[in-house]
Amino acid sequence: MKKIIILLGLCLLSSTASIAANCEYSCVEPYDINGKFSTFISNITGLNFTQTKISEAVLKKSISKTVKGDKNLKVDIESYSAKDLKNGIFKSLLISGENVVVEDIYLSSLELKSLCDFNYVQYDKKGNLTFKEDFPMSFNITMDSDDINNTMKSEKYKKVINDVNKLGLGGIKVASTTSSIRGNKFYYALNIEIPFIKKEQKVEISADIKVKNGKIDFDNTRLASNSFNLDLKRFDFLMDYLNPLDFSVNIFNNKDAKVYIKNIAIKNNTIVTDGTVVVPKD
């Protein structure tokens, strides 16, 4: 179970995943678990409690290799029995932390919680994980403007900008981006380079944020600066590629995982979003 927990933690908190229009999953009745007597003996001897605490510590240690600034990282596992846990079967898993950095994505807080009462993940000698059943988790993320700006400094986000610049938008190139949240409004600014103009031009827009087809989308985009005029249709095109909020929730490993955003709102100048991530069974 130690290796399962390590790999499972890295699988949940790693690179990227696809944003899905829906996030269907199914929970099944428990099977392949120990009998009630074995579970009873495990519980009264304290073996289950001890094994759970060991697994929690191992998972926390493994996640700390991927998650930085995780002093407040919390891991809770509820199991059926020590033997079931060793075999990769458990009731629930909860991972939460504050001020975390996952693969250069900055978050004020993160919570992941399993959604089924029966979870079954197997591990082979080659280090491969097999999800015997769908493994769905709910997530809750908060981000402030500092989180978003730090994330946009990452090499991965810079690559997104470089890819946009390769599209050849009439010679316009994005030099840098920043964001801010003021009065519970989201603002996004671009410094852009324009042919035949030596000085970079700064364009700032404000926008409402909403969920559309399971993705974070900007609505009612409007210019917040009057120093430069730009066709908002072209700007909307840029934002489809550069959306730093969608980028920030893309923290889950790509083992065919599907991410579905349910809600997003700005409260106290902090963006709060929740949804579901599902690793489908193999």
Side-chain angles (χ1 to χ4, degrees), residues 248-259:
S248 294
V249 301
N250 237 351
I251 60 173
F252 305 99
N253 194 8
N254 59 357
K255 187 181 171 65
D256 299 321
K258 304 296 182 182
V259 178

Side-chain angles (χ1 to χ4, degrees), residues 1 8 10 20 48 58 68 70 97 119 145 173 179 198 224 277:
M1 183 60 193
L8 182 57
L10 295 178
N48 188 35
V58 171
K68 299 177 182 179
D70 60 340
N119 303 279
S145 56
K173 290 188 176 181
S179 72
K198 292 183 178 180
V277 55

Side-chain angles (χ1 to χ4, degrees), residues 173-184:
K173 290 188 176 181
V174 178
S176 60
T177 61
T178 57
S179 72
S180 62
I181 304 173
R182 309 191 299 268
N184 285 334

